[in-house]
mmCIF file of all heavy atoms in Angstrom:
data_model
loop_
_atom_site.group_PDB
_atom_site.id
_atom_site.type_symbol
_atom_site.label_atom_id
_atom_site.label_comp_id
_atom_site.label_asym_id
_atom_site.label_seq_id
_atom_site.Cartn_x
_atom_site.Cartn_y
_atom_site.Cartn_z
ATOM 1 N N VAL A 1395 -23.085 69.545 0.804
ATOM 2 C CA VAL A 1395 -24.265 68.826 0.930
ATOM 3 C C VAL A 1395 -25.004 68.822 -0.348
ATOM 4 O O VAL A 1395 -24.933 69.633 -1.248
ATOM 5 C CB VAL A 1395 -25.146 69.298 2.064
ATOM 6 C CG1 VAL A 1395 -24.418 69.257 3.396
ATOM 7 C CG2 VAL A 1395 -25.730 70.630 1.878
ATOM 8 N N GLY A 1396 -25.876 67.751 -0.510
ATOM 9 C CA GLY A 1396 -26.820 67.670 -1.660
ATOM 10 C C GLY A 1396 -25.963 67.579 -2.897
ATOM 11 O O GLY A 1396 -25.016 66.791 -3.078
ATOM 12 N N ALA A 1397 -26.312 68.419 -3.871
ATOM 13 C CA ALA A 1397 -25.546 68.488 -5.198
ATOM 14 C C ALA A 1397 -24.140 68.833 -4.875
ATOM 15 O O ALA A 1397 -23.276 68.498 -5.636
ATOM 16 C CB ALA A 1397 -26.250 69.355 -6.089
ATOM 17 N N GLY A 1398 -23.828 69.496 -3.888
ATOM 18 C CA GLY A 1398 -22.398 69.933 -3.490
ATOM 19 C C GLY A 1398 -21.526 68.608 -3.182
ATOM 20 O O GLY A 1398 -20.456 68.346 -3.676
ATOM 21 N N ALA A 1399 -22.215 67.702 -2.441
ATOM 22 C CA ALA A 1399 -21.616 66.421 -2.066
ATOM 23 C C ALA A 1399 -21.396 65.549 -3.432
ATOM 24 O O ALA A 1399 -20.386 64.831 -3.524
ATOM 25 C CB ALA A 1399 -22.417 65.646 -1.083
ATOM 26 N N ILE A 1400 -22.389 65.710 -4.344
ATOM 27 C CA ILE A 1400 -22.317 65.016 -5.577
ATOM 28 C C ILE A 1400 -21.107 65.520 -6.433
ATOM 29 O O ILE A 1400 -20.427 64.719 -7.007
ATOM 30 C CB ILE A 1400 -23.538 65.093 -6.378
ATOM 31 C CG1 ILE A 1400 -24.744 64.444 -5.665
ATOM 32 C CG2 ILE A 1400 -23.381 64.545 -7.791
ATOM 33 C CD1 ILE A 1400 -24.683 62.961 -5.628
ATOM 34 N N ILE A 1401 -20.844 66.826 -6.478
ATOM 35 C CA ILE A 1401 -19.743 67.345 -7.241
ATOM 36 C C ILE A 1401 -18.498 66.851 -6.581
ATOM 37 O O ILE A 1401 -17.537 66.554 -7.347
ATOM 38 C CB ILE A 1401 -19.819 68.926 -7.147
ATOM 39 C CG1 ILE A 1401 -20.946 69.473 -8.062
ATOM 40 C CG2 ILE A 1401 -18.540 69.496 -7.557
ATOM 41 C CD1 ILE A 1401 -21.191 71.004 -7.924
ATOM 42 N N ALA A 1402 -18.335 66.814 -5.241
ATOM 43 C CA ALA A 1402 -17.183 66.252 -4.648
ATOM 44 C C ALA A 1402 -16.961 64.844 -5.078
ATOM 45 O O ALA A 1402 -15.957 64.327 -5.369
ATOM 46 C CB ALA A 1402 -17.258 66.360 -3.128
ATOM 47 N N MET A 1403 -18.134 64.027 -5.018
ATOM 48 C CA MET A 1403 -18.115 62.626 -5.352
ATOM 49 C C MET A 1403 -17.544 62.377 -6.792
ATOM 50 O O MET A 1403 -16.877 61.476 -7.030
ATOM 51 C CB MET A 1403 -19.488 62.055 -5.107
ATOM 52 C CG MET A 1403 -19.629 60.574 -5.461
ATOM 53 S SD MET A 1403 -21.450 60.139 -5.726
ATOM 54 C CE MET A 1403 -21.747 60.800 -7.291
ATOM 55 N N ALA A 1404 -18.131 63.266 -7.678
ATOM 56 C CA ALA A 1404 -17.728 63.029 -9.122
ATOM 57 C C ALA A 1404 -16.357 63.502 -9.468
ATOM 58 O O ALA A 1404 -15.892 63.242 -10.554
ATOM 59 C CB ALA A 1404 -18.736 63.864 -10.014
ATOM 60 N N SER A 1405 -15.612 64.148 -8.531
ATOM 61 C CA SER A 1405 -14.302 64.530 -8.770
ATOM 62 C C SER A 1405 -13.384 63.267 -8.661
ATOM 63 O O SER A 1405 -13.742 62.279 -8.063
ATOM 64 C CB SER A 1405 -13.848 65.569 -7.749
ATOM 65 O OG SER A 1405 -14.659 66.722 -7.773
ATOM 66 N N ASP A 1406 -12.155 63.399 -9.118
ATOM 67 C CA ASP A 1406 -11.212 62.339 -9.184
ATOM 68 C C ASP A 1406 -10.572 62.186 -7.740
ATOM 69 O O ASP A 1406 -10.263 61.049 -7.307
ATOM 70 C CB ASP A 1406 -10.181 62.533 -10.289
ATOM 71 C CG ASP A 1406 -10.787 62.497 -11.565
ATOM 72 O OD1 ASP A 1406 -11.086 61.425 -12.189
ATOM 73 O OD2 ASP A 1406 -11.009 63.635 -12.151
ATOM 74 N N LEU A 1407 -10.317 63.292 -7.110
ATOM 75 C CA LEU A 1407 -9.539 63.338 -5.877
ATOM 76 C C LEU A 1407 -10.213 64.352 -5.018
ATOM 77 O O LEU A 1407 -10.755 65.321 -5.465
ATOM 78 C CB LEU A 1407 -8.120 63.670 -6.087
ATOM 79 C CG LEU A 1407 -7.176 62.758 -6.956
ATOM 80 C CD1 LEU A 1407 -5.977 63.484 -7.408
ATOM 81 C CD2 LEU A 1407 -6.907 61.489 -6.215
ATOM 82 N N ARG A 1408 -10.187 64.170 -3.717
ATOM 83 C CA ARG A 1408 -10.938 64.960 -2.755
ATOM 84 C C ARG A 1408 -10.013 65.214 -1.544
ATOM 85 O O ARG A 1408 -9.507 64.353 -0.883
ATOM 86 C CB ARG A 1408 -12.223 64.353 -2.331
ATOM 87 C CG ARG A 1408 -13.309 64.259 -3.420
ATOM 88 C CD ARG A 1408 -14.324 63.243 -3.106
ATOM 89 N NE ARG A 1408 -13.857 61.884 -3.046
ATOM 90 C CZ ARG A 1408 -13.720 61.200 -4.187
ATOM 91 N NH1 ARG A 1408 -14.099 61.651 -5.320
ATOM 92 N NH2 ARG A 1408 -13.205 59.999 -4.065
ATOM 93 N N LEU A 1409 -9.814 66.573 -1.219
ATOM 94 C CA LEU A 1409 -9.091 66.971 -0.051
ATOM 95 C C LEU A 1409 -10.266 67.637 0.806
ATOM 96 O O LEU A 1409 -11.142 68.218 0.251
ATOM 97 C CB LEU A 1409 -7.982 67.918 -0.306
ATOM 98 C CG LEU A 1409 -6.927 67.499 -1.283
ATOM 99 C CD1 LEU A 1409 -5.823 68.553 -1.443
ATOM 100 C CD2 LEU A 1409 -6.244 66.126 -0.791
ATOM 101 N N ALA A 1410 -9.963 67.757 2.142
ATOM 102 C CA ALA A 1410 -10.956 68.281 2.978
ATOM 103 C C ALA A 1410 -10.328 68.886 4.197
ATOM 104 O O ALA A 1410 -9.263 68.561 4.667
ATOM 105 C CB ALA A 1410 -12.170 67.434 3.400
ATOM 106 N N THR A 1411 -11.022 69.976 4.759
ATOM 107 C CA THR A 1411 -10.521 70.395 6.057
ATOM 108 C C THR A 1411 -11.297 69.668 7.178
ATOM 109 O O THR A 1411 -12.248 69.024 6.900
ATOM 110 C CB THR A 1411 -10.836 71.930 6.277
ATOM 111 O OG1 THR A 1411 -12.315 72.024 6.436
ATOM 112 C CG2 THR A 1411 -10.430 72.837 5.043
ATOM 113 N N PRO A 1412 -10.770 69.650 8.419
ATOM 114 C CA PRO A 1412 -11.500 69.027 9.493
ATOM 115 C C PRO A 1412 -12.882 69.537 9.735
ATOM 116 O O PRO A 1412 -13.731 68.886 10.363
ATOM 117 C CB PRO A 1412 -10.599 69.304 10.760
ATOM 118 C CG PRO A 1412 -9.240 69.604 10.209
ATOM 119 C CD PRO A 1412 -9.524 70.304 8.895
ATOM 120 N N GLU A 1413 -13.218 70.698 9.266
ATOM 121 C CA GLU A 1413 -14.561 71.301 9.367
ATOM 122 C C GLU A 1413 -15.499 70.880 8.274
ATOM 123 O O GLU A 1413 -16.684 71.314 8.333
ATOM 124 C CB GLU A 1413 -14.361 72.817 9.477
ATOM 125 C CG GLU A 1413 -13.669 73.473 10.572
ATOM 126 C CD GLU A 1413 -12.129 73.183 10.556
ATOM 127 O OE1 GLU A 1413 -11.589 73.321 9.515
ATOM 128 O OE2 GLU A 1413 -11.545 73.010 11.543
ATOM 129 N N ALA A 1414 -15.122 70.202 7.354
ATOM 130 C CA ALA A 1414 -15.961 69.754 6.231
ATOM 131 C C ALA A 1414 -17.123 68.819 6.787
ATOM 132 O O ALA A 1414 -16.896 67.996 7.597
ATOM 133 C CB ALA A 1414 -15.101 69.051 5.202
ATOM 134 N N LYS A 1415 -18.288 69.148 6.356
ATOM 135 C CA LYS A 1415 -19.541 68.566 6.650
ATOM 136 C C LYS A 1415 -20.215 68.051 5.337
ATOM 137 O O LYS A 1415 -20.735 68.890 4.579
ATOM 138 C CB LYS A 1415 -20.460 69.349 7.605
ATOM 139 C CG LYS A 1415 -19.846 69.747 8.860
ATOM 140 C CD LYS A 1415 -20.725 70.675 9.665
ATOM 141 C CE LYS A 1415 -20.170 70.932 11.036
ATOM 142 N NZ LYS A 1415 -18.928 71.660 10.900
ATOM 143 N N THR A 1416 -20.239 66.779 5.113
ATOM 144 C CA THR A 1416 -20.706 66.266 3.862
ATOM 145 C C THR A 1416 -21.944 65.454 4.104
ATOM 146 O O THR A 1416 -21.945 64.437 4.823
ATOM 147 C CB THR A 1416 -19.559 65.373 3.186
ATOM 148 O OG1 THR A 1416 -18.384 66.086 3.201
ATOM 149 C CG2 THR A 1416 -19.994 64.931 1.756
ATOM 150 N N ALA A 1417 -22.906 65.689 3.293
ATOM 151 C CA ALA A 1417 -24.234 64.939 3.464
ATOM 152 C C ALA A 1417 -24.964 64.812 2.047
ATOM 153 O O ALA A 1417 -25.116 65.737 1.283
ATOM 154 C CB ALA A 1417 -25.143 65.608 4.404
ATOM 155 N N PHE A 1418 -25.449 63.609 1.842
ATOM 156 C CA PHE A 1418 -26.202 63.335 0.662
ATOM 157 C C PHE A 1418 -27.646 63.329 1.226
ATOM 158 O O PHE A 1418 -28.242 62.241 1.416
ATOM 159 C CB PHE A 1418 -25.793 61.925 0.015
ATOM 160 C CG PHE A 1418 -24.443 61.933 -0.469
ATOM 161 C CD1 PHE A 1418 -23.320 61.607 0.468
ATOM 162 C CD2 PHE A 1418 -24.105 62.130 -1.758
ATOM 163 C CE1 PHE A 1418 -22.022 61.617 -0.064
ATOM 164 C CE2 PHE A 1418 -22.756 62.152 -2.194
ATOM 165 C CZ PHE A 1418 -21.765 61.864 -1.362
ATOM 166 N N LEU A 1419 -28.202 64.551 1.308
ATOM 167 C CA LEU A 1419 -29.424 64.670 2.119
ATOM 168 C C LEU A 1419 -30.658 64.609 1.399
ATOM 169 O O LEU A 1419 -31.760 65.201 1.816
ATOM 170 C CB LEU A 1419 -29.244 65.931 2.958
ATOM 171 C CG LEU A 1419 -28.792 67.252 2.317
ATOM 172 C CD1 LEU A 1419 -29.666 67.680 1.185
ATOM 173 C CD2 LEU A 1419 -28.536 68.333 3.212
ATOM 174 N N PHE A 1420 -30.697 63.980 0.232
ATOM 175 C CA PHE A 1420 -31.881 64.007 -0.650
ATOM 176 C C PHE A 1420 -33.122 63.392 0.054
ATOM 177 O O PHE A 1420 -34.210 63.982 -0.134
ATOM 178 C CB PHE A 1420 -31.571 63.170 -1.923
ATOM 179 C CG PHE A 1420 -30.339 63.750 -2.605
ATOM 180 C CD1 PHE A 1420 -29.149 62.943 -2.598
ATOM 181 C CD2 PHE A 1420 -30.357 64.945 -3.213
ATOM 182 C CE1 PHE A 1420 -28.056 63.439 -3.199
ATOM 183 C CE2 PHE A 1420 -29.205 65.428 -3.857
ATOM 184 C CZ PHE A 1420 -27.998 64.652 -3.761
ATOM 185 N N ASN A 1421 -33.065 62.343 0.849
ATOM 186 C CA ASN A 1421 -34.127 61.771 1.444
ATOM 187 C C ASN A 1421 -34.724 62.704 2.577
ATOM 188 O O ASN A 1421 -35.915 62.638 3.001
ATOM 189 C CB ASN A 1421 -33.872 60.411 2.072
ATOM 190 C CG ASN A 1421 -33.224 60.407 3.462
ATOM 191 O OD1 ASN A 1421 -32.338 61.305 3.697
ATOM 192 N ND2 ASN A 1421 -33.568 59.565 4.271
ATOM 193 N N ARG A 1422 -33.940 63.702 3.037
ATOM 194 C CA ARG A 1422 -34.460 64.586 3.982
ATOM 195 C C ARG A 1422 -35.392 65.626 3.384
ATOM 196 O O ARG A 1422 -36.039 66.397 4.162
ATOM 197 C CB ARG A 1422 -33.190 65.231 4.761
ATOM 198 C CG ARG A 1422 -32.549 64.259 5.702
ATOM 199 C CD ARG A 1422 -31.206 64.857 6.103
ATOM 200 N NE ARG A 1422 -31.271 66.055 6.910
ATOM 201 C CZ ARG A 1422 -30.195 66.694 7.356
ATOM 202 N NH1 ARG A 1422 -28.975 66.119 7.156
ATOM 203 N NH2 ARG A 1422 -30.330 67.834 7.967
ATOM 204 N N VAL A 1423 -35.386 65.674 2.082
ATOM 205 C CA VAL A 1423 -36.337 66.599 1.460
ATOM 206 C C VAL A 1423 -37.388 65.735 0.703
ATOM 207 O O VAL A 1423 -37.980 66.265 -0.250
ATOM 208 C CB VAL A 1423 -35.609 67.645 0.466
ATOM 209 C CG1 VAL A 1423 -34.814 68.549 1.306
ATOM 210 C CG2 VAL A 1423 -34.798 66.954 -0.547
ATOM 211 N N GLY A 1424 -37.501 64.461 1.095
ATOM 212 C CA GLY A 1424 -38.582 63.643 0.502
ATOM 213 C C GLY A 1424 -38.125 62.996 -0.800
ATOM 214 O O GLY A 1424 -39.086 62.548 -1.555
ATOM 215 N N LEU A 1425 -36.871 62.975 -1.143
ATOM 216 C CA LEU A 1425 -36.458 62.460 -2.413
ATOM 217 C C LEU A 1425 -35.579 61.117 -2.240
ATOM 218 O O LEU A 1425 -35.142 60.899 -1.060
ATOM 219 C CB LEU A 1425 -35.577 63.472 -3.216
ATOM 220 C CG LEU A 1425 -36.435 64.669 -3.640
ATOM 221 C CD1 LEU A 1425 -35.352 65.674 -4.283
ATOM 222 C CD2 LEU A 1425 -37.512 64.354 -4.598
ATOM 223 N N ALA A 1426 -35.441 60.317 -3.297
ATOM 224 C CA ALA A 1426 -34.591 59.154 -3.147
ATOM 225 C C ALA A 1426 -33.144 59.496 -3.135
ATOM 226 O O ALA A 1426 -32.679 60.611 -3.618
ATOM 227 C CB ALA A 1426 -34.853 58.313 -4.340
ATOM 228 N N GLY A 1427 -32.302 58.671 -2.540
ATOM 229 C CA GLY A 1427 -30.870 58.922 -2.547
ATOM 230 C C GLY A 1427 -30.234 58.804 -3.838
ATOM 231 O O GLY A 1427 -29.035 59.130 -4.068
ATOM 232 N N CYS A 1428 -30.926 58.188 -4.781
ATOM 233 C CA CYS A 1428 -30.384 57.860 -6.171
ATOM 234 C C CYS A 1428 -30.413 59.224 -6.962
ATOM 235 O O CYS A 1428 -31.296 59.316 -7.900
ATOM 236 C CB CYS A 1428 -31.139 56.767 -6.905
ATOM 237 S SG CYS A 1428 -32.928 57.009 -7.030
ATOM 238 N N ASP A 1429 -29.487 60.130 -6.735
ATOM 239 C CA ASP A 1429 -29.584 61.449 -7.443
ATOM 240 C C ASP A 1429 -28.154 61.725 -8.052
ATOM 241 O O ASP A 1429 -27.187 61.526 -7.476
ATOM 242 C CB ASP A 1429 -29.816 62.494 -6.395
ATOM 243 C CG ASP A 1429 -30.288 63.808 -7.081
ATOM 244 O OD1 ASP A 1429 -31.438 63.980 -7.428
ATOM 245 O OD2 ASP A 1429 -29.428 64.654 -7.289
ATOM 246 N N MET A 1430 -28.259 62.035 -9.289
ATOM 247 C CA MET A 1430 -27.037 62.401 -10.136
ATOM 248 C C MET A 1430 -25.953 61.269 -10.031
ATOM 249 O O MET A 1430 -24.752 61.587 -10.028
ATOM 250 C CB MET A 1430 -26.485 63.683 -9.500
ATOM 251 C CG MET A 1430 -27.453 64.872 -9.648
ATOM 252 S SD MET A 1430 -26.905 66.436 -8.766
ATOM 253 C CE MET A 1430 -25.446 66.881 -9.780
ATOM 254 N N GLY A 1431 -26.419 60.048 -10.025
ATOM 255 C CA GLY A 1431 -25.399 58.963 -10.036
ATOM 256 C C GLY A 1431 -24.885 58.429 -8.696
ATOM 257 O O GLY A 1431 -23.978 57.601 -8.657
ATOM 258 N N ALA A 1432 -25.535 58.951 -7.624
ATOM 259 C CA ALA A 1432 -24.971 58.645 -6.237
ATOM 260 C C ALA A 1432 -25.053 57.127 -5.905
ATOM 261 O O ALA A 1432 -24.009 56.633 -5.322
ATOM 262 C CB ALA A 1432 -25.792 59.448 -5.238
#
């Protein structure tokens, strides 16, 4: 989540387990979604 989701986004390829929970949760802390190139 957050910057962790951004790191995954900035990668070239992404694999995940069925338990992966991904969230760009910037607006949930009062910020814009436009963070780190999202």
Side-chain angles (χ1 to χ4, degrees):
V1395 300
I1400 296 289
I1401 288 172
M1403 178 196 77
S1405 300
D1406 299 280
L1407 299 165
R1408 291 163 293 276
L1409 307 179
T1411 70
E1413 293 74 34
K1415 298 176 176 62
T1416 309
F1418 299 83
L1419 43 65
F1420 306 106
N1421 82 320
R1422 289 166 59 181
V1423 295
L1425 297 176
C1428 54
D1429 196 85
M1430 299 171 69

